[in-house]
Amino acid sequence: MRPITQENDRLGFVGVGYMGRPIARRLLESGFRLTAYDRDRSKIEELIQYGGSAAQSVSELSSSCNVVLSCLPGDGPVLNTFKGSDGVFANAHRDLRLIDLSTVYPETSQELSRLGSERGVEVLDVTISGSTPAAEKGLLTLFGGGNKECFESAESIFRVIAHKYFYLGPSGSGATMKLVVNTLLGIGMQAIAEAVALGEKAGLDRNRLLDVLSQTAVVAPAHADKLQRAMKSDYRPQFPIRLMNKDFGLIFNLAAAVGARMPAAGAAFEINARQSDEGAEQDFSAVILQMEKQAHLGSEDDGLTRVGINSARKMI
């Protein structure tokens, strides 16, 4: 399969939100010709300043580009974008290559692949690990599913936006790997939030606690910056808590389908959902606020904590 190049290919990009905008900008800065579409036209203005073009509709974009990337917030928007008379598939020419960067259920990726194959369109699910700062610097990690030859033909794109990219297997494999990774991301953030609340409750200085914890080997790089930002009470969304909440739903759907038990994920989801329900557009690290709030109210209000304490006392 012919490699994708700046000289021979025009990229289309659907969805220029938190992650899509910095990714599209890097592609433009690297020399790719790119046309973008988003329902919110104002989001495209920055890309026009970097040489991008704006499409008035998905159908216009898909008919004028031979590679289409999408970065959308969930399964519904993805399916609505690609299906139907105004969607990508209905207006695509044969040999179009589609790279979906969205976090969706693996079966959604498989459905896109099936619909694409009926029209001579190759579809890759290439999911993203990393938040907006990593996207701005081209330091994302990518997980790919679909045709391996097609994946390899798109390496010119991956090299611009990521420092690591992996082929996982057939369609849906990239989506599955993203859910595996986000399981660790969500549980890890909840574990950190509990540890921070414990340290504060035990009398440690909050900022000193957060600073030292961020420099220990037990905190992953993806979480370390969150602690530094928490020192400044900065919970502006890099990865919005509502999207982590959505991803937990996908994780539990997959776990139910394959028969995997997820007790730690269940506990993390409960706290994530409580903070998300407060309605503010915050980063997923705002679960720290939720645990600090619960610690302030008192551990006797938390049934899970009470069970754990009683079990520990029996062992002493």
Side-chain angles (χ1 to χ4, degrees):
M1 185 174 291
R2 180 183 63 79
I4 297 169
T5 66
Q6 286 95 335
E7 297 78 19
N8 297 325
D9 296 282
R10 173 170 286 279
L11 308 185
F13 205 105
V14 182
V16 287
Y18 283 109
M19 297 299 289
R21 187 162 57 249
I23 291 172
R25 176 176 165 178
R26 285 196 62 85
L27 291 168
L28 283 167
E29 291 178 325
S30 74
F32 277 104
R33 295 172 295 161
L34 185 144
T35 300
Y37 172 79
D38 195 284
R39 289 187 302 175
D40 183 349
R41 171 69 187 228
S42 65
K43 293 181 178 180
I44 306 176
E45 295 303 320
E46 177 188 335
L47 299 182
I48 294 175
Q49 296 175 22
Y50 287 90
S53 302
Q56 300 301 316
S57 65
V58 171
S59 58
E60 177 190 329
L61 179 142
S62 56
S63 63
S64 63
C65 299
N66 55 325
V67 180
V68 173
L69 298 95
S70 53
C71 193
L72 297 162
D75 296 64
V78 167
L79 292 172
N80 289 338
T81 296
F82 295 107
K83 296 170 68 175
S85 59
D86 295 325
V88 171
F89 290 134
N91 297 279
H93 52 76
R94 292 188 67 84
D95 300 324
L96 174 76
R97 295 181 228 183
L98 168 61
I99 304 172
D100 183 34
L101 305 170
S102 315
T103 299
V104 296
Y105 195 60
E107 285 187 2
T108 297
S109 298
Q110 292 165 354
E111 181 177 357
L112 291 183
S113 180
R114 177 181 58 78
L115 292 172
S117 65
E118 293 173 357
R119 295 163 174 81
V121 174
E122 287 283 359
V123 180
L124 296 172
D125 48 295
V126 182
T127 51
I128 302 166
S129 180
S131 57
T132 50
E136 290 165 356
K137 298 173 184 176
L139 297 177
L140 297 171
T141 300
L142 307 177
F143 312 116
N147 179 281
K148 186 176 183 181
E149 186 180 357
C150 184
F151 181 84
E152 291 172 347
S153 76
E155 287 189 359
S156 59
I157 291 175
F158 304 152
R159 284 194 297 267
V160 171
I161 66 176
H163 73 134
K164 294 180 182 178
Y165 47 92
F166 303 95
Y167 175 74
L168 272 299
S171 178
S173 299
T176 299
M177 188 64 194
K178 175 60 181 289
L179 297 185
V180 170
V181 168
N182 273 19
T183 298
L184 284 174
L185 186 70
I187 293 174
M189 195 68 252
Q190 173 60 24
I192 289 170
E194 290 184 23
V196 168
L198 172 64
E200 287 185 64
K201 193 75 171 177
L204 293 176
D205 176 79
R206 183 180 189 271
N207 280 1
R208 187 60 177 157
L209 163 63
L210 290 166
D211 184 36
V212 172
L213 191 59
S214 71
Q215 299 182 59
T216 63
V218 298
V219 173
H223 294 119
D225 178 63
K226 304 300 183 184
L227 296 178
Q228 292 291 330
R229 296 178 77 224
M231 290 172 61
K232 305 170 188 175
S233 297
D234 183 359
Y235 297 99
R236 288 173 297 174
Q238 294 177 331
F239 176 35
I241 195 167
R242 61 181 169 81
L243 294 184
M244 184 72 248
N245 196 57
K246 179 265 296 183
D247 289 354
F248 269 125
L250 297 177
I251 289 164
F252 293 133
N253 285 343
L254 181 60
V258 301
R261 296 186 65 250
M262 309 287 287
F269 170 65
E270 179 185 350
I271 304 302
N272 184 278
R274 287 185 192 178
Q275 188 63 27
S276 182
D277 286 345
E278 295 193 3
E281 183 75 341
Q282 297 174 314
D283 191 75
F284 82 109
S285 58
V287 292
I288 293 174
L289 295 176
Q290 185 63 222
M291 292 310 301
E292 289 175 327
K293 177 181 177 181
Q294 292 191 19
H296 179 72
L297 292 173
S299 61
E300 64 273 11
D301 295 327
D302 189 333
L304 289 174
T305 300
R306 186 168 59 251
V307 170
I309 291 172
N310 291 338
S311 298
R313 284 173 176 165
K314 292 178 182 179
M315 298 173 65
I316 298 175

